Structure formats: C-alpha cells, structure tokens
Amino acid sequence: MRDLLVGLFVLVGLGAVAYLSFRVGGLSYGGPGGLVLYASFDQTGGLKERAPVVIAGVKVGQVSAITLDGNFRARATLDIDRSLRIPTDTTASVVTAGLLGDRYVSLQLGGEEAYLKPGDEITFTESAVILERLIGKLVHGSTDGTGDTKNDKSE
Amino acid sequence: MTGPVRELGWLSLRFVEELGRIGVFTARVTGAVVTPPPRIRPCVDELFKLGVLSLIIICVCGLAVGMVLGLQGYNTLVRFGAEESLGAVVGLSLVRELGPVLTALLATGRAGSATAAEIGTMVATEQLDGLRMMSVDPIHLVVTPKVLAMIGVMPLLSALFIVCGLAGGYVVGVGLMGVDGGNYLTSLENAVEFHDDIVGSGIKAVVFGVLIGLISTYRGYTCAPTSAGVSSATTSTVVVASVSILIVDYLITALWGV
C-alpha cells in the first residue's frame, strides 16, 4: 500500500515536471518537423530561436537556429512539418505578434508548381519592421529613406 | 577590556569549527551513499513520509499562492491594459522563484523538522549507539535514506506546487476576472522557456533538497541527548534551513540568473 502511494506520488510528480517542460516550457515543437529550410533576412528585429513558424496563423514549425552569414545577413534555419509542400516562390517574413509582442516567421505561399526540398533556401524574404525606425520616420515627416537626409533636402 | 574581543574570537572559532563538522558530516554521508548495500527499503519509507504526506499541503499552498498571484497580477496589469499578460506574470514568478523557494520552506517545516526530531530522539534514546554496537553505521542506515529522499522529493514537490499555482492563477484570472483563457495559456507558454526557467527551477529545487536534507539530519545527529536537545535541534533546523534557503536562492539567482 505504502509502495503504491509512493509510486503514485513519483508518477504524479514526474507528470508535473513533464507538463512544465513540454507544454509550459515549450521544450520541443509538438508537431512533426523534418523539412529544414533556410531564409536570410536583412533584419530579424530580435527573432529568437524556437520562435514559431506559421502559415495563415497556424503553427507549422519553429526557428531552430539563427546565424550570421557571409554577407552579414541573418540566416534563419526553419524546421517545418515535412508533410507540407511549400512552393518555391514562397515569401518568408518576420512579423510581430501584436504591437510589441514576440517576433515570429510567417510564410506566404506562392503559386509555383515546384516545391522546396529539405535544405533549400527561401529566396523571397521580408525583414522585420522596427517600430522605433517607423516612429522616427513619422517624426521626421517622411515615409521613405532615412528621415534626416530627406528633411535636409526639403528645407 | 579584552572580554568582548575574546568573546568574538571564541564565536568565530566555533563558527569555523561548526562549518568543518558539517563538511565532515557531508563527506561521510556522500561516502555512505556509494557504499553497498543500497538501503532501498528505508528510502521508500522516507519517500512516503517526506513526499506523499507533504502532497496535500503542497497542493493547497500552491493553489492559494497561484490564486493570490492571479489577483495581484491582474489588479496591477489592468492599469496598463496588459491583463492578457497575466499568464506570463503568474508563470514566471512561480517557476523561477516562488515554486522552489516556498516548497523548500514548506518542506523544511513539514519534513525537515520531523527528520531532525526523529534522529534527535534516536540519539537521546541511544538507538544510534545500539546500531553502532551491532557495527551498523547509523549514517548509512538512518541518515543517508533521509537525505536522498529529500533530494529526490524536492523537484517533484516543486513541480507540483508550480502546476497547482498555475491552475490557481487560471481559476482567478480566467474564472473570476474574465481574462481570456487562451490568452492566459499563450502568454504563459511564450514567457516560460525550458532552458532558462524550467531547468533553473529544477536546479534550485535539488539544491534546496540537499540543504534541507543535510541540515536536518546534521542537527538531529549532533543534538544533545536530552529532551531540550531534541527541541533545540528541531528549532535550529527550521531556522538555519530557512535562512540558508533564502540566501542560497539569492546566490543562485545572482550568479546564474535563473
């Protein structure tokens, strides 16, 4: 009886640890991965590893690594559900959840008949929008280019 | 004139001497852990006493702490219109600090004091001397299972405390205050990271388990063989363990940022 209770206690405790690790801690992306794609961005705006990759708002994978490539662009490795067929002209963009929320990668699928294979590069990418720069542009009264030089010209 | 200085010197020497004794005791316990035969049966009995019997108090306290966190967090966050971050507030404070620390304090009061009193009574009634007469090492038979069980039980109790706290925060935030349930869980899951938060929380729980186990058994083992000795051993276990838990908690957080 006592052994049974101890066993139950250990099971419940391990269950709590597992819940915290996998559900709350997000130790691993729950769905299947396996389709590894690469995407280079000029600006990730603080995209983090294990950030979700979504298509139409549905999570289909996660960012497994972010490194700097030879041209000083950020190269993100995306681990995506391998049962999905991603067209070659798909666009990957870094977007923000809400106004100040976390960054994640959103894929807008293209219309090509050819599909990306594991290890392929997503060529069309959209960088993160940095809110501070947008505000800066608004303050300096221009919407393209860097605010300072434009202002100088107009004066 | 030299009286107070002499007193200070005596106190310092006693402090160092005590530290040395605890070090020797720790070394003997560590040695006994790896010495065969392994004491499985006493270990299971200790798991029952320290773990199963602490279950209810841990769950009730976890629930209460989570509920109060939900209430306080909501009242603060709603001023900034950020009440959907309630899950992050409740989750991070529980996982990183309150879970391990409050579990350790509860376990000190619930299990550490009982351990010290039990071993102290064995000393007072010469049961440990009886064991030595039969050439059984009391550290091997009596102390080691208690320390091991405490170390094993702490992470599990802490995890249960945290899960109950999250549930308590959910009940208050979502049920009472009308935060969206999906928002609560999403902000919770986004804020809590496995490598930074969950692992750190587990490390804290294990370290606190080592502290409670060693302090309570040491105090019991070295207590004066009188009823006053047993009572002072129990008291000093609770005081010393609680203080060292809070100090070590600060040190772990400051040094490794968990």
Side-chain angles (χ1 to χ4, degrees), chain B residues 38-58:
Chain B
R39 304 287 186 182
I40 308 280
R41 182 82 340 232
C43 261
V44 173
D45 287 349
E46 290 306 324
L47 280 178
F48 180 80
K49 272 193 276 185
L50 305 182
V52 178
L53 297 181
S54 304
L55 211 51
I56 293 176
I57 182 180
I58 290 294

Side-chain angles (χ1 to χ4, degrees), chain B:
Chain B
M1 189 60 207
T2 55
V5 180
R6 192 186 293 262
E7 191 91 338
L8 182 69
W10 185 76
L11 279 176
S12 314
L13 281 179
R14 268 209 39 185
F15 178 69
V16 174
E17 196 182 315
E18 187 79 357
L19 278 185
R21 283 184 205 279
I22 292 179
V24 171
F25 182 78
T26 309
R28 285 185 63 190
V29 172
T30 316
V33 170
V34 292
T35 312
R39 304 287 186 182
I40 308 280
R41 182 82 340 232
C43 261
V44 173
D45 287 349
E46 290 306 324
L47 280 178
F48 180 80
K49 272 193 276 185
L50 305 182
V52 178
L53 297 181
S54 304
L55 211 51
I56 293 176
I57 182 180
I58 290 294
C59 288
V60 169
C61 292
L63 208 61
V65 168
M67 286 167 82
V68 84
L69 273 178
L71 213 53
Q72 296 279 23
Y74 179 84
N75 285 337
T76 310
L77 288 172
V78 80
R79 294 184 202 174
F80 310 106
E83 62 266 31
E84 65 269 21
S85 304
L86 185 64
V89 171
V90 174
L92 282 181
S93 26
L94 272 173
V95 170
R96 295 179 71 112
E97 281 304 324
L98 294 176
V101 172
L102 288 183
T103 309
L105 293 179
L106 287 171
T108 305
R110 168 77 187 66
S113 58
T115 303
E118 189 182 336
I119 298 183
T121 311
M122 287 180 175
V123 172
T125 54
E126 297 172 352
Q127 294 181 48
L128 296 190
D129 293 332
L131 283 178
R132 284 195 197 95
M133 281 292 292
M134 296 184 285
S135 79
V136 175
D137 182 7
I139 290 201
H140 193 244
L141 183 66
V142 179
V143 171
T144 314
K146 290 182 191 298
V147 176
L148 282 183
M150 200 67 231
I151 298 173
V153 143
M154 264 303 293
L156 300 182
L157 287 181
S158 164
L160 280 168
F161 185 98
I162 295 169
V163 170
C164 288
L166 295 178
Y170 188 91
V171 167
V172 168
V174 178
L176 226 57
M177 294 304 183
V179 176
D180 183 63
N183 272 344
Y184 179 87
L185 290 178
T186 312
S187 79
L188 168 68
E189 285 161 21
N190 284 342
V192 180
E193 295 278 339
F194 177 76
H195 293 273
D196 297 342
D197 304 327
I198 307 278
V199 172
S201 171
I203 290 174
K204 276 186 180 178
V206 170
V207 171
F208 296 160
V210 174
L211 280 178
I212 301 171
L214 282 177
I215 291 172
S216 60
T217 49
Y218 174 77
R219 287 292 168 184
Y221 194 77
T222 56
C223 92
T226 57
S227 50
V230 175
S231 86
S232 83
T234 314
T235 309
S236 80
T237 296
V238 175
V239 172
V240 173
S242 308
V243 171
S244 40
I245 284 164
L246 294 173
I247 293 175
V248 168
D249 177 50
Y250 174 75
L251 290 180
I252 295 179
T253 309
L255 291 181
W256 293 290
V258 290

